[in-house]
Amino acid sequence: MKRLAATVLSILFLVFTVLPVAGAQAQEQPRLRVDLDQPNPRVIASTTASLTVTGRVTNIGDRRISKLGVRLQLGTRLQSEQQIGDVLAGDKFKDLAATEFVDLQPDELEPGQSAALNLVVPLGLSAKFQFPKAGVYPLLVNVNGTPDFGGPERLAAVTLLMPVLGVPGKPASRPPTVPSVPSTSLLWPIANSAVHVVSAPLGGPLTLANERLADELAAGGRLDSLVEAARAAEADTKVSSSLCLAIDPDLVATVDAMTRGYQVAGGAPGKGVETAKNWLGRLKALVAGRCVVTLPFADADLTALTKVRAGDATDTALMTTALGGAGTIKNLLGIQPQDGVLWPGGALDSQTVEAIGKAGVKTVLTDSGKLQSRTPLSSGVSIEGTDLRAQPIDALVSSALNGSGSTQNGLGAIAFRAGLGGQNEGPVRSRLLIAPPRHWAATGTELTTFLERMGDFYTAGLLKSAPLPELLGESPAGTASVNYDPQDLTAATSGDVTAKMSQLDNETLGLSSAMTMDATKRVNPADVIAPVRLALIRAASTSWRGADAAIVTGNARGDLEAIRSQVTVERPKQTIALASGAAPLPVFITNNLPVGVAVQVALKNNVGLRPTDDTQLQAQMVPANSARNRLLPVEALRAGRFSVDVSLTTPDGTPLGSAARFELTSTEYGAITIIITITAAGALLLLSSRRIYRRIKDSRADRANETAPRVTEDAQV
């Protein structure tokens, strides 16, 4: 009974311990989602009469929510980088002012329902909601409500940064002076948001996973909006001159291939041919005479590529290809990118820095948070132990341009970096390189508005427009080392992915080594295996982060198998009857590749058969787009019906095609087999005869001993 009571008490203790925790976790589950339109205006000036915030509130929980209300809260002026970072992270801040709660209409939402949010806040000297002076302020859109079976509480909140150039209601004054106006350049990413290519074999059709890329190229799509916003900014020479397009060569090459026709997975013809032609034409017009820098091919994680076959320092094909996109951009867009300038994705470790330096990169545009220096990172620096120059990208602004309210928060962080307010409290930069997210998905309206407000900053004297080559042309202001920490290792491409990539790269190398250029076809073997190499690089794309290794490398595996399958051994349509015990086995080999391939024949599961001349199994060259009939000398080891598997490999053992099963019959043994059999039979007969002879001899000796007279001891005496 004591044991039973103790058990019951233990269970009750666990139950009552876990229940509050479970309840706390349930409380943390979001019940509302707030989708804000950006505030109007985006920057407060002395002439601003009101601030409008609009959007929608959606019930994403499992309970009805009533008494919904919203208000706008104003925090105190932000005076440090830490404060900006805390606001972006969603931390609470001290209120300076707040509006009254305004009921939403409807003010009651069932799960899945939504309501419009519309706040109009008067500004001015007599208004309750006031900005005391120029600067950057946090705004909180606070939504309260009462869920069923609960009480009133804050259910959702969105924080925004608001730049204030002048106090509303006060007479306009001179633009705020700052200690040093930052020379500012802005990278504008034109890159894939995902890996779209399933296969693109030499001479074959381009196959995309779906029509997502065509949708992004179409009017209003993500890539269309990026191009159109940059084209609209050409009207402002200061914005236009500070803009440098960062282009993914994989995207340009894929869109160019789409213009010649493509298909989607499953074989349906692609519908975006004309869309691709139109977008590519507008991109060509946009880049003419502009600053352009290259991204790694497919925005690959370069640190991951250095882990592929890391033990072989001589094999740099993947890294070389990933960094060789400048030629693709020049050929397809007619513009020469900045020589040796690269904007890589993800953090770089020291091994990767060394590798990209050897590949011809001279300048790396990288997150300032990934550089360690004894001096402030206000300009370009030399990377210790290398010939590379690093141009820091402002980490605070990059962080602000990610997540909800990205363009508004980005404007706030940029204004803060410019020292808005004329105080020395903020860490003002003499050089400011701004980089939005590489896969930026802001709407066309947001992108256009963002560039327009950048123009306002230039006009107000907060920023100085500077072309990127101007920043890169300055001498390094110090030295720094790369900072690759455990957090970067956790976020990097997984070891499972790089292990599978290494395996595939080894197989690709084995296949490539067996190929030779055919004198008539004049096709380079490197061009045949190029689709596999490109698919391997795409497997390291930063857009794959967190995906399963088999999925990530699946396209590369498919491309490799497609090439292998072009070199096959034909399966006989009927059973092969060996005319004699020792007869040649006809093996018909087909090579449908436009290059010659060294082919080696292997016999497996050949219990009833053996080759009599192993030299005939050794590698022989099969010319491009041709077939060869190999007669393999074999010998039947038994009579009757049996089978053998015939397969092909390269000289180093890399499989080709698939094995073919040959069905065979034989009524005779081979001559060697017969000789061996007769010899064995003769040896057996001889051994048997010898054994019989010894038995007879031993038997006679025994009988002789039995009949001989016995001599006694007395007789001897």
Side-chain angles (χ1 to χ4, degrees):
M1 288 296 293
K2 289 183 179 180
R3 288 184 178 179
L4 177 61
T7 302
V8 171
L9 287 173
S10 298
I11 293 173
L12 289 174
F13 174 77
L14 289 174
V15 168
F16 285 107
T17 300
V18 170
L19 280 177
V21 175
Q25 291 175 342
Q27 291 290 329
E28 295 173 0
Q29 297 299 317
R31 298 192 181 279
L32 293 178
R33 185 184 73 238
V34 179
D35 299 306
L36 286 183
D37 302 326
Q38 295 301 330
N40 183 29
R42 309 295 292 274
V43 177
I44 302 296
S46 59
T47 57
T48 304
S50 64
L51 174 63
T52 302
V53 179
T54 59
R56 295 198 70 80
V57 176
T58 304
N59 183 350
I60 58 174
D62 57 359
R63 301 184 192 177
R64 181 173 61 96
I65 300 175
S66 58
K67 300 179 181 178
L68 285 163
V70 60
R71 74 173 180 177
L72 189 65
Q73 298 169 213
L74 172 65
T76 56
R77 183 175 180 269
L78 300 173
Q79 301 182 35
S80 70
E81 184 172 344
Q82 179 65 48
Q83 289 178 346
I84 292 279
D86 290 344
V87 169
L88 294 175
D91 292 352
K92 294 181 180 180
F93 54 79
K94 182 180 179 181
D95 283 354
L96 184 65
T99 67
E100 298 295 331
F101 275 101
V102 176
D103 293 339
L104 295 183
Q105 295 299 326
D107 68 347
E108 183 176 289
L109 297 178
E110 297 289 343
Q113 291 183 334
S114 62
L117 181 156
N118 191 356
L119 277 176
V120 179
V121 182
L123 300 177
L125 296 179
S126 60
K128 180 180 178 182
F129 201 89
Q130 294 186 13
F131 297 94
K133 60 180 179 178
V136 178
Y137 292 82
L139 295 176
L140 180 74
V141 181
N142 180 10
V143 181
N144 279 15
T146 303
D148 281 354
F149 316 112
E153 58 179 307
R154 176 188 292 181
L155 298 177
V158 177
T159 305
L160 299 173
L161 298 178
M162 178 59 69
V164 179
L165 296 181
V167 177
K170 282 189 177 182
S173 58
R174 290 181 304 172
T177 59
V178 294
S180 175
V181 177
S183 295
T184 304
S185 296
L186 174 62
L187 294 173
W188 199 250
I190 310 291
N192 275 323
S193 60
V195 174
H196 300 290
V197 177
V198 174
S199 66
L202 179 67
L206 168 68
T207 301
L208 303 182
N210 46 46
E211 292 283 22
R212 177 177 172 180
L213 179 54
D215 292 340
E216 291 190 358
L217 299 173
R222 189 184 70 86
L223 291 168
D224 170 75
S225 297
L226 285 164
V227 170
E228 288 306 299
R231 293 182 67 186
E234 291 176 338
D236 188 325
T237 56
K238 291 183 178 180
V239 174
S240 182
S241 63
S242 69
L243 210 60
C244 189
L245 303 172
I247 301 178
D248 178 1
D250 182 34
L251 169 63
V252 178
T254 302
V255 175
D256 177 69
M258 290 174 66
T259 65
R260 295 185 291 278
Y262 68 100
Q263 63 186 26
V264 295
K271 300 178 181 179
V273 174
E274 292 303 318
T275 299
K277 290 179 181 178
N278 182 29
W279 184 85
L280 192 61
R282 288 184 289 120
L283 180 61
K284 287 180 181 179
L286 174 64
V287 302
R290 281 184 174 272
C291 169
V292 172
V293 299
T294 56
L295 300 175
F297 185 90
D299 195 22
D301 180 351
L302 299 181
T303 301
L305 293 184
T306 62
K307 304 297 187 293
V308 177
R309 299 182 67 229
D312 186 359
T314 62
D315 183 22
T316 59
L318 292 182
M319 182 65 77
T320 301
T321 302
L323 299 179
T328 300
I329 292 174
K330 181 179 180 180
N331 292 336
L332 299 180
L333 297 181
I335 185 72
Q336 177 64 54
Q338 295 293 305
D339 182 36
V341 179
L342 179 73
W343 180 20
L348 305 176
D349 60 12
S350 56
Q351 180 184 358
T352 308
V353 168
E354 180 181 357
I356 63 179
K358 291 180 179 179
V361 175
K362 302 172 184 176
T363 300
V364 176
L365 313 178
T366 189
D367 191 326
S368 60
K370 299 306 175 186
L371 295 172
Q372 288 182 324
S373 177
R374 289 181 291 272
T375 58
L377 291 170
S378 60
S379 186
V381 293
S382 297
I383 298 181
E384 296 174 355
T386 74
D387 295 328
L388 284 175
R389 170 197 172 95
Q391 189 70 35
I393 294 171
D394 193 273
L396 181 69
V397 177
S398 294
S399 176
L401 286 170
N402 276 286
S404 61
S406 62
T407 55
Q408 180 62 35
N409 288 338
L411 291 171
I414 292 168
F416 176 79
R417 275 291 186 236
L420 182 60
Q423 303 298 319
N424 292 312
E425 300 154 342
V428 180
R429 299 287 192 260
S430 61
R431 303 289 182 271
L432 186 61
L433 180 56
I434 299 170
R438 304 164 75 81
H439 311 142
W440 213 3
T443 65
T445 301
E446 280 300 298
L447 297 173
T448 301
T449 303
F450 175 77
L451 292 179
E452 289 174 349
R453 299 294 78 75
M454 285 292 296
D456 292 342
F457 288 167
Y458 291 138
T459 301
L462 291 177
L463 304 173
K464 176 185 175 183
S465 173
L468 180 63
E470 179 181 308
L471 268 62
L472 302 183
E474 298 175 347
S475 299
T479 61
S481 60
V482 292
N483 178 24
Y484 192 77
D485 55 34
Q487 183 178 357
D488 297 319
L489 187 62
T490 302
T493 303
S494 72
D496 290 342
V497 172
T498 55
K500 284 188 176 294
M501 289 174 65
S502 296
Q503 177 187 349
L504 287 167
D505 196 38
N506 271 321
E507 295 176 27
T508 303
L509 183 62
L511 182 59
S512 174
S513 64
M515 296 179 177
T516 58
M517 181 180 290
D518 187 88
T520 58
K521 301 296 181 181
R522 306 299 299 172
V523 174
N524 193 325
D527 294 335
V528 177
I529 66 165
V532 184
R533 295 282 193 191
L534 298 181
L536 282 172
I537 296 172
R538 292 188 186 103
S541 172
T542 58
S543 64
W544 279 118
R545 292 279 171 80
D548 180 78
I551 296 175
V552 167
T553 58
N555 293 340
R557 169 62 68 187
D559 284 339
L560 181 59
E561 295 302 332
I563 296 174
R564 285 175 171 172
S565 66
Q566 299 301 304
V567 184
T568 60
V569 56
E570 184 176 330
R571 180 178 181 180
K573 297 180 180 179
Q574 56 189 13
T575 301
I576 297 176
L578 297 178
S580 62
L585 181 67
V587 177
F588 193 74
I589 301 172
T590 301
N591 174 20
N592 291 322
L593 294 174
V595 293
V597 181
V599 174
Q600 187 168 289
V601 180
L603 302 181
K604 298 180 180 179
N605 300 320
N606 53 323
V607 177
L609 196 72
R610 77 176 186 88
T612 58
D613 185 358
D614 289 341
T615 61
Q616 295 301 313
L617 298 177
Q618 295 177 2
Q620 295 185 19
M621 184 62 62
V622 180
N625 298 119
S626 66
R628 289 290 184 270
N629 194 20
R630 299 269 300 271
L631 298 177
L632 304 181
V634 295
E635 179 186 8
L637 301 178
R638 60 182 175 85
R641 186 183 182 97
F642 51 93
S643 62
V644 61
D645 292 334
V646 180
S647 60
L648 305 177
T649 69
T650 64
D652 73 343
T654 301
L656 295 168
S658 56
R661 173 152 293 186
F662 285 41
E663 299 293 338
L664 309 174
T665 61
S666 176
T667 58
E668 298 184 44
Y669 292 114
I672 296 177
T673 303
I674 294 175
I675 292 173
I676 294 174
T677 302
I678 293 175
T679 302
L684 180 62
L685 179 62
L686 180 61
L687 291 173
S688 298
S689 300
R690 184 171 179 274
R691 188 172 184 182
I692 292 172
Y693 169 75
R694 291 187 63 178
R695 285 186 176 181
I696 293 174
K697 182 178 178 180
D698 291 344
S699 177
R700 288 178 177 177
D702 291 342
R703 286 200 299 270
N705 291 336
E706 291 176 358
T707 57
R710 302 178 66 86
V711 179
T712 65
E713 293 180 0
D714 293 341
Q716 292 176 357
V717 177

